[in-house]
Amino acid sequence: MSSTPIPPTTSPVPQLLSRRDLKIHMHSPLIYWWPVWAVGLVMAAWTYFDNRHMVLVPQHAVVAGNQVTAPAGDSIHATMVHVARSPIPGAIFATTVLAVVILSHVWLRGVWALFAVACLTTLVFLLSWMEWWDELFRGLRAIQVYLNLGAYLVLSVSLFLAWVAAVFVFDRRTYLAFSVGQIRFRDELGSEEKSFDTGGVVFEKKPYDWFRWLVGFGAGDMVIRIGGPHPQVIEMPNVVRVGKSLNELEQRLRTRDVE
């Protein structure tokens, strides 16, 4: 009695996983603004638990100890608005906003990052050599920033909602999809899709910007150069974990002919 050998079976799961499209999303610059709403919410909690309230007094009001006396004909308006007694929360929030606005639009790549660090170091040594630190701190103490609880919440919550909508909804509608032997650039907002063969495609990564890499979860810019009779260049800015995405693309390209 003869028996036919049963061929070994393989699990279909790895094959399905290998054929699944690899999607790479680009993002808007709003992805770098999460420190603003995060710091704003922390400063709002600081202001709330400090449990101090703002009082509006007219000009020339006299403050003596715990007594406030308004000029004749004017009144003192006591509000229930929370304001921290220290100017530190306002200063931290204002500094965070300014840093994010500047560093998310002024990119410091490669040599420029080293140049910026060198300039900052030179400025620190110059202030120390001229003994200007005391005057600088004295001038900064004269600038006191106070924000009430409502200002922190309105700015932080509004920005948080916009950030979530941009990162998890709108930014995910434009992406690069890599399948076996083919690359598709999909723009669902404009209902546009371009397909290219992987044979003449070159992927590049621009030099990292240290701020965007740190705040944007390893974000960087990717450039796709497509050869052939009609060469094209597709730029994908602000790709999160761009290094990992490029490694996965290279691995797919090396194994695309292996079943």
Side-chain angles (χ1 to χ4, degrees), residues 44-112:
W46 182 339
T47 303
Y48 177 78
F49 289 108
D50 195 34
N51 200 21
R52 292 295 186 273
H53 303 279
M54 183 171 62
V55 176
L56 301 178
V57 300
Q59 189 179 11
H60 305 303
V62 178
V63 180
N66 293 328
Q67 299 294 327
V68 180
T69 304
D74 287 327
S75 61
I76 298 173
H77 180 59
T79 69
M80 294 303 295
V81 177
H82 286 77
V83 177
R85 76 186 88 178
S86 172
I88 293 178
I92 293 176
F93 184 72
T95 303
T96 303
V97 172
L98 291 175
V100 171
V101 168
I102 295 173
L103 295 178
S104 63
H105 291 82
V106 180
W107 298 341
L108 300 176
R109 303 178 189 270
V111 178
W112 286 106

Side-chain angles (χ1 to χ4, degrees), residues 207-245:
Y208 279 118
D209 175 85
W210 67 269
F211 173 80
R212 296 195 298 158
W213 179 85
L214 180 64
V215 179
F217 313 103
D221 297 335
M222 181 185 297
V223 179
I224 305 169
R225 303 186 184 276
I226 302 169
H230 303 287
Q232 299 185 42
V233 176
I234 299 177
E235 295 190 2
M236 300 189 64
N238 309 319
V239 177
V240 176
R241 294 189 292 272
V242 62
K244 179 181 178 182
S245 298

